[in-house]
Amino acid sequence: MKNHKFSKIILFIFLLLTFISCEHAVDCIKERKPNLISKELKTGSVFVMYNDNVTYEMLNTRTDEYRIDSASIEGNLPPGLNYSINNHNVTLSGIPKKNGTYEFTVSITVTPLNDNDETDSLCESSTSKKYKITIQ
């Protein structure tokens, strides 16, 4: 009899915890997360000002309620180009100094624009994608 009562208590606690954290589980099923948009970056020319953007969208929630909190680039940007963050874009700009094809990965982490911490309700707050720039 005691074993049966103990099992009911364990089951009750399990169900309670499941329903308390259900909202986050549903968010992950809906995949609320950032997604960098695939695109072919502009071809640039040596010693000519270059400017292009990598943008993102939020999947299954409103993009305009989030901003890029941090960004990084792994790989090779053309010498002379830098990157900066501008709310919903990673801007690649500068004056390329050497021709070639350069492949790199852009990684971003997003955060809500308002103060209530909606990052907890995201399935993921970071994403990465590979890009390529050709300088002629």
Side-chain angles (χ1 to χ4, degrees), residues 7-38:
S7 295
K8 282 185 177 183
I9 291 171
I10 296 296
L11 179 62
F12 174 76
I13 292 171
F14 173 76
L15 291 173
L16 182 65
L17 291 174
T18 300
F19 287 114
I20 287 173
S21 62
C22 183
E23 183 178 326
H24 184 68
V26 170
D27 288 336
C28 283
I29 291 169
K30 291 189 304 185
E31 289 195 287
R32 290 179 52 176
K33 63 182 184 178
N35 176 53
L36 283 162
I37 297 172
S38 297

Side-chain angles (χ1 to χ4, degrees), residues 22-108:
C22 183
E23 183 178 326
H24 184 68
V26 170
D27 288 336
C28 283
I29 291 169
K30 291 189 304 185
E31 289 195 287
R32 290 179 52 176
K33 63 182 184 178
N35 176 53
L36 283 162
I37 297 172
S38 297
K39 71 179 272 188
E40 188 173 316
L41 295 172
K42 296 177 192 173
T43 298
S45 298
V46 175
F47 302 118
V48 176
M49 184 65 180
Y50 181 91
N51 193 0
D52 203 353
N53 293 308
V54 171
T55 58
Y56 81 97
E57 63 187 350
M58 292 299 295
L59 300 179
N60 300 309
T61 191
R62 293 178 46 162
T63 300
D64 61 352
E65 294 179 357
Y66 293 83
R67 67 176 176 81
I68 298 174
D69 183 51
S70 63
S72 63
I73 293 187
E74 203 171 295
N76 298 312
L77 272 181
L81 292 192
N82 295 303
Y83 71 95
S84 60
I85 301 170
N86 183 357
N87 273 341
H88 295 99
N89 300 312
V90 175
T91 300
L92 306 167
S93 62
I95 299 174
K97 300 189 181 335
K98 187 176 178 187
N99 65 350
T101 299
Y102 300 86
E103 296 183 21
F104 52 91
T105 300
V106 175
S107 299
I108 63 166

